[in-house]
Amino acid sequence: MTNDANIDHTTSIPVPTTTGDTTLSLTGEFAAQLAALEGGVTSEELESIAALPSGSALLIVRRGPNLGARFLLDTNVTTVGRHPNADIFLDDVTVSRRHAEFSRHGHTFQVRDLGSLNGTYVEGVRVDDALLDDGAEVQIGKFRLTFYPSRIDVVTAASE
């Protein structure tokens, strides 16, 4: 077993300066935020998305607390909120106790706002409910999550 405390989680990028110092160190968290801003998906995330069985989907936190967290949608209804009993617990005051729910209809998913104070947004537009497309950005409070359905379902839908 390795000790993570001894592992260097920084990335060095050469930066021209007038002082002669040409190295900028970034923490792993900042590098992850940068990749998310660029729409990048890590190889580990790609593997997780590729492994999804038909009828399931993955939400990945791209901005906000819990950056990089992944949530599997594999039941007919998945609740999201600040209540500890929510299926997806988002612990931030910008999230209502019962904020939203994701529901599966065959091989498609829909998000529905449950009367939250701050609303639920899909692609920057406040919605009561919306059908989710591959790569859709869902905002719940401070959290911005990207939706990835099973690749099997994406290919099947494209061929229909």
Side-chain angles (χ1 to χ4, degrees):
M1 188 164 129
T2 62
N3 182 352
D4 286 342
N6 295 329
I7 298 173
D8 184 7
H9 292 283
T10 60
T11 303
S12 295
I13 300 173
V15 178
T17 65
T18 57
T19 63
D21 183 14
T22 61
T23 304
L24 173 67
S25 294
L26 307 175
T27 65
E29 181 179 343
F30 182 79
Q33 288 176 342
L34 186 59
L37 287 174
E38 294 172 349
V41 179
T42 67
S43 58
E44 188 177 294
E45 290 169 345
L46 283 173
E47 287 178 23
S48 297
I49 295 165
L52 289 170
S54 180
S56 65
L58 193 65
L59 291 170
I60 302 176
V61 178
R62 295 295 181 199
R63 286 194 191 163
N66 301 348
L67 180 70
R70 296 179 218 156
F71 301 103
L72 180 63
L73 302 178
D74 63 348
T75 60
N76 287 334
V77 176
T78 303
T79 60
V80 181
R82 195 168 30 95
H83 192 282
N85 292 338
D87 298 316
I88 298 176
F89 175 59
L90 300 178
D91 190 17
D92 190 83
V93 296
T94 61
V95 178
S96 296
R97 289 178 183 271
R98 293 187 67 246
H99 197 106
E101 69 181 18
F102 291 88
S103 56
R104 176 174 61 187
H105 304 281
H107 299 292
T108 63
F109 284 84
Q110 176 179 2
V111 63
R112 181 169 66 98
D113 187 82
L114 299 176
S116 67
L117 179 63
N118 292 322
T120 300
Y121 295 78
V122 175
E123 301 299 349
V125 177
R126 189 171 182 156
V127 298
D128 290 326
D129 60 77
L131 192 61
L132 297 173
D133 293 323
D134 184 24
E137 181 186 79
V138 178
Q139 183 175 346
I140 296 173
K142 286 184 185 179
F143 296 84
R144 291 190 185 200
L145 308 106
T146 304
F147 171 80
Y148 299 100
S150 163
R151 301 295 92 182
I152 297 166
D153 298 337
V154 170
V155 170
T156 302
S159 65
E160 292 178 350

